Amino acid sequence: MSSVLFDTPGPVARARHRTMTIVAAGIMAAIAAWVVWKLARAGEFDRDIWEGMAQPNIWRAYWMGLLDTLKAAGTAIVLAIALGALLAAARLSDHAWVRWPAWLFTEFFRAVPLLLLIMFVYFGLLHQLYWSLVVALTLYNGSVLAEVFRAGVQAVPSGQAEAAYAIGLRKGQVLRLVQFPQAIAIMLPAIISQCVIVLKDTALGTIVGYFDLVAQARNIVLYFHVYVLPLSVGAAIFIILNYSLSRLAIWVQARMSRSRRSAAVAGDPLEADTGA
């Protein structure tokens, strides 16, 4: 069956596609084999490297680096969410003198490369490794989350705000009690995805000497004079952390979706009559 965008390939085209796939796979396998061979020639897979990696002090170094990474990421995530909520509320304000500075702040820090921002905060302002990284991550990711929150608030049905105004709530109360809770529920996957980005961006702290997981892996590289295994362990730890956060986002979204459907069914008299 043909598609609107392309015709279904015939026997000759399918045979050509299979041939191209096999050739491409062979080329990639050959490149991978060549890379492994070169690494083996360089001693990256020697037995003493594997035995050395089993030393307790090596894994203690990874553990200390992981704790420093989680410490910086956790603090930056909490502060970025708070800053993002504050900026989103200011962006939604009816007062131009509040709205426009928040817009300028958000657009500026979203546009500045994070690496340059970390260097500017450290060399130009704080000269303190931990807080320089945390402040830079907070400014950048808080500005990104501000747009996420603002989009979430605007995605809430307008009838929710109108009903809140009808019972006498002020705009700030409507944002805090009605719109923000629903916006967070809508944008929760995007919020957690941004938290994953914060976790990964802590690796940029090595540019100013922050001793995180990446810095520990780099020191282990210098200790063994090999690259693949120490860096692979660090990458595996990051992958496990990021995958866990991503799965958490999926689980929370599914749970909240089920809760909303249950609440909708319980509160809908038509559904109740049908169930009866």
Side-chain angles (χ1 to χ4, degrees):
M1 183 174 62
S2 298
S3 170
V4 176
L5 299 178
F6 60 90
D7 294 330
T8 301
V12 176
R14 288 198 295 270
R16 184 169 61 248
H17 294 168
R18 283 194 297 268
T19 302
M20 294 174 64
T21 300
I22 293 172
V23 171
I27 293 173
M28 294 185 67
I31 293 174
W34 178 78
V35 170
V36 171
W37 176 76
K38 291 288 290 183
L39 292 173
R41 287 281 303 272
E44 294 283 346
F45 305 124
D46 288 350
R47 181 178 177 179
D48 57 342
I49 302 300
W50 292 86
E51 294 175 350
M53 287 292 295
Q55 298 176 24
N57 61 316
I58 297 297
W59 290 99
R60 191 179 301 114
Y62 279 120
W63 175 249
M64 296 303 297
L66 175 61
L67 290 180
D68 287 335
T69 294
L70 292 177
K71 179 183 175 182
T75 307
I77 286 170
V78 172
L79 294 178
I81 291 175
L83 178 62
L86 181 63
L87 290 172
R91 291 288 309 272
L92 294 167
S93 174
D94 293 331
H95 304 288
W97 62 272
V98 175
R99 188 171 61 251
W100 285 105
W103 172 84
L104 182 63
F105 184 97
T106 301
E107 293 300 320
F108 175 79
F109 284 107
R110 286 175 63 203
V112 176
L114 181 55
L115 184 61
L116 294 180
L117 185 58
I118 293 172
M119 296 175 65
F120 175 78
V121 173
Y122 177 72
F123 293 108
L125 297 176
L126 298 181
H127 300 286
Q128 209 279 339
L129 295 176
Y130 172 75
W131 283 109
S132 295
L133 178 60
V134 168
V135 168
L137 289 172
T138 299
L139 292 174
Y140 177 78
N141 291 282
S143 300
V144 174
L145 285 172
E147 291 301 291
V148 172
F149 287 139
R150 189 171 69 91
V153 169
Q154 292 176 339
V156 175
S158 58
Q160 300 285 329
E162 293 170 359
Y165 288 129
I167 63 174
L169 295 182
R170 297 187 298 273
K171 185 176 179 64
Q173 294 175 313
V174 173
L175 278 174
R176 187 177 69 256
L177 301 175
V178 178
Q179 292 178 310
F180 263 141
Q182 296 186 62
I184 292 175
I186 293 171
M187 304 305 294
L188 189 60
I191 295 171
I192 297 182
S193 297
Q194 194 63 36
C195 293
V196 173
I197 293 174
V198 175
L199 180 61
K200 292 190 293 185
D201 285 346
T202 55
L204 296 176
T206 55
I207 195 67
V208 293
Y210 184 68
F211 223 59
D212 65 339
L213 181 59
V214 174
Q216 293 284 10
R218 184 180 59 191
N219 285 343
I220 295 170
V221 165
L222 296 176
Y223 178 76
F224 286 111
H225 301 289
V226 293
Y227 295 90
V228 174
L229 189 56
L231 295 180
S232 296
V233 172
I237 295 173
F238 267 113
I239 290 171
I240 292 171
L241 289 174
N242 294 332
Y243 179 76
S244 299
L245 281 176
S246 301
R247 296 303 302 177
L248 175 64
I250 295 172
W251 178 81
V252 171
Q253 184 183 22
R255 185 177 180 83
M256 295 185 68
S257 298
R258 287 196 300 269
S259 299
R260 285 197 297 268
R261 287 197 298 267
S262 300
V265 171
D268 192 341
L270 295 178
E271 292 289 339
D273 292 341
T274 301

